[in-house]
Amino acid sequence: MRSWNSLTLAEQTLLRRAMSQDPLAGVIQAYGTALRWAHAAEAPPPRSYSEAEQRELVPLLGAVMRSLVERDLVIVRAVEGTSPSPSDPILTGDTLHAVLKDPVNWLWTPASERRLSLATPDAVRRDWADDAYPAVEADGFPDWDGLSRAQREVLVCAAEASGMLTGPFGIWEDLSSGLVGAERVAWVDRQLAPLIPFVHAGWIEVRHYPGVNDDAFTVIPADDLQRALADPAIRYEGEDWGVGIGCVFTDAGLAVWRGGWGRAWGRRLRVD
């Protein structure tokens, strides 16, 4: 078996998604993010791919996926129930080829999320899990107990599937309508304070999600966070899930989370 570092970024992205038993739909967005974080020449701008851009990448990633399947590194299953199961039929041959050629199967929608599921053989996870999901210690930051409650809340938010900071399902309070000018800026700065060090460290990426039932996003750079969070239209204060400002761990941030903070949080949950 080849070493992890000898794999292309496309192969690594698909294998990580398969190790996590993620759906096929949405993989192309993950590939674009991986390209950005790796500072690759072909990386997209700091945003999600458009539908047209995703469709253009289907032949490339379809060929990579077929190669991984043929080398017994990835399994593609057709989900028959409400959630993936090891008993779901495995796609091979012409059926797999047809599925991977159709862009519809690669584009995320609420209806397609669990139509096709990825997995890996046990041997792949055993041999490559540590390389695919490395763990490092937080350099220059205190341990879990030394972090403020607000810092811990931001880290847990980035670790969760939703990862929303603002909006009805976010961890932060809505912007007060009575604040204007310098008062509003000061209020936003206090809210940002626990997040900014992790953004500057390159461990958390902040995103604006503008639409309902959509995987579109735009990355908000650290220098623009104050302006974005002071704007009620960007923060979003409606009732829809997944709209507003959220955060995710970068690959580097996930490695730090796995290196200690995530385990400390897990122990705290078991104790509490």
Side-chain angles (χ1 to χ4, degrees), residues 264-272:
W265 175 58
R267 289 194 297 271
R268 179 68 59 84
L269 285 179
R270 289 192 292 274
V271 170
D272 294 345

Side-chain angles (χ1 to χ4, degrees), residues 72-190:
D72 296 322
L73 300 178
V74 171
I75 298 165
V76 182
R77 288 192 172 97
V79 178
E80 294 187 323
T82 56
S83 60
S85 168
S87 63
D88 287 330
I90 296 174
L91 303 183
T92 59
D94 291 343
T95 302
L96 176 65
H97 183 74
V99 162
L100 296 180
K101 281 181 61 178
D102 190 344
V104 169
N105 296 317
W106 293 85
L107 303 178
W108 183 88
T109 68
S112 69
E113 182 176 4
R114 286 297 176 183
R115 183 182 303 150
L116 298 164
S117 180
L118 307 178
T120 55
D122 291 340
V124 172
R125 180 178 295 277
R126 182 190 66 234
D127 293 340
W128 275 342
D130 289 342
D131 293 321
Y133 299 107
V136 300
E137 294 301 319
D139 185 20
F141 283 78
D143 61 20
W144 182 259
D145 290 333
L147 296 171
S148 69
R149 177 173 179 173
Q151 286 176 310
R152 294 196 296 264
E153 288 176 346
V154 165
L155 291 171
V156 172
C157 181
E160 292 179 335
S162 61
M164 295 305 298
L165 294 167
T166 69
F169 300 92
I171 65 170
W172 286 348
E173 294 179 36
D174 287 344
L175 184 64
S176 174
S177 59
L179 296 176
V180 295
E183 287 183 319
R184 175 177 288 194
V185 170
W187 190 89
V188 167
D189 283 344
R190 287 194 295 274

Side-chain angles (χ1 to χ4, degrees), residues 186-236:
W187 190 89
V188 167
D189 283 344
R190 287 194 295 274
Q191 202 167 54
L192 272 174
L195 171 67
I196 284 291
F198 302 130
V199 176
H200 283 312
W203 295 344
I204 287 181
E205 179 173 277
V206 183
R207 299 174 173 179
H208 174 227
Y209 300 99
V212 181
N213 293 331
D214 193 349
D215 64 353
F217 66 84
T218 302
V219 178
I220 305 176
D223 291 344
D224 204 27
L225 282 171
Q226 183 190 81
R227 180 198 63 80
L229 282 162
D231 186 342
I234 295 178
R235 290 180 68 101
Y236 185 73

Side-chain angles (χ1 to χ4, degrees), residues 29 47-55 107:
Q29 296 290 23
R47 58 164 174 78
S48 56
Y49 280 127
S50 68
E51 180 177 331
E53 289 169 333
Q54 292 183 74
R55 288 176 177 272
L107 303 178

